[in-house]
Amino acid sequence: METRKPNRLPFHRLAVFPVLMAQFVILLIGALALWQWHGVVAGYSGLCGGLIALLPNVYFAHKAFRFSGARAAQSIVRSFYAGEAGKLILTAVLFALVFAGVKPLAPIAVFGAFVLTQSVSWFAPLLMRTRLSRP
C-alpha cells in the first residue's frame, strides 16, 4: 500500500502571508513613529515589542498552515496544536529575553507595539486572499 504525504504549501503561498506582511509593516511604522516622537530608546523598544508579536505568529503560520487538503486533516489538527503551544512558549521566552537583556528599555513602548502588531490579526479576514464560503 502506498503511503501518501500530506500536501505542503510554500510559506509565501499561505493564505495568512498577507496578514504577516501587514504585521511587519505596522511594526516598522510603529517603531519609526516611536523613534521619531519619543527618541531612540522608545524606537528600539517598540521594535522589540513588535518582533515579540511577529516572530511567534510567523512560527505559528509555518506550523499550522503548511498542510492542505482533506486527506491531511489529522496533520492539520496536530500542527495547529503544536503551532499554538510553540507560539505561547516563544512569546513568553521573547518577553523574558527582552526585559532581561535590553537596557535601557521603555516598557510602555514594548507593550504598545506588541498590542499594535497583534491588533492587525483583527483585520485578518480583510487581508486574506482566500475567502471562506458560508455553508
Side-chain angles (χ1 to χ4, degrees), residues 1-62:
M1 181 189 255
E2 180 184 332
T3 58
R4 300 186 88 203
K5 288 187 176 181
N7 296 334
R8 290 183 183 244
L9 293 173
F11 191 73
H12 69 280
R13 303 249 350 241
L14 297 176
V16 74
F17 188 72
V19 176
L20 296 173
M21 290 308 295
Q23 284 184 329
F24 182 68
V25 168
I26 293 298
L27 157 106
L28 290 178
I29 291 171
L32 285 173
L34 284 168
W35 173 70
Q36 182 68 31
W37 288 310
H38 295 287
V40 175
V41 174
Y44 71 73
S45 296
L47 184 66
C48 289
L51 286 173
I52 290 170
L54 180 65
L55 294 177
N57 285 337
V58 169
Y59 175 80
F60 176 77
H62 172 69

Side-chain angles (χ1 to χ4, degrees), residues 93-113:
V93 167
L94 288 173
F95 265 119
L97 286 174
V98 166
F99 279 105
V102 179
K103 303 290 181 203
L105 189 69
I108 293 175
V110 172
F111 288 117

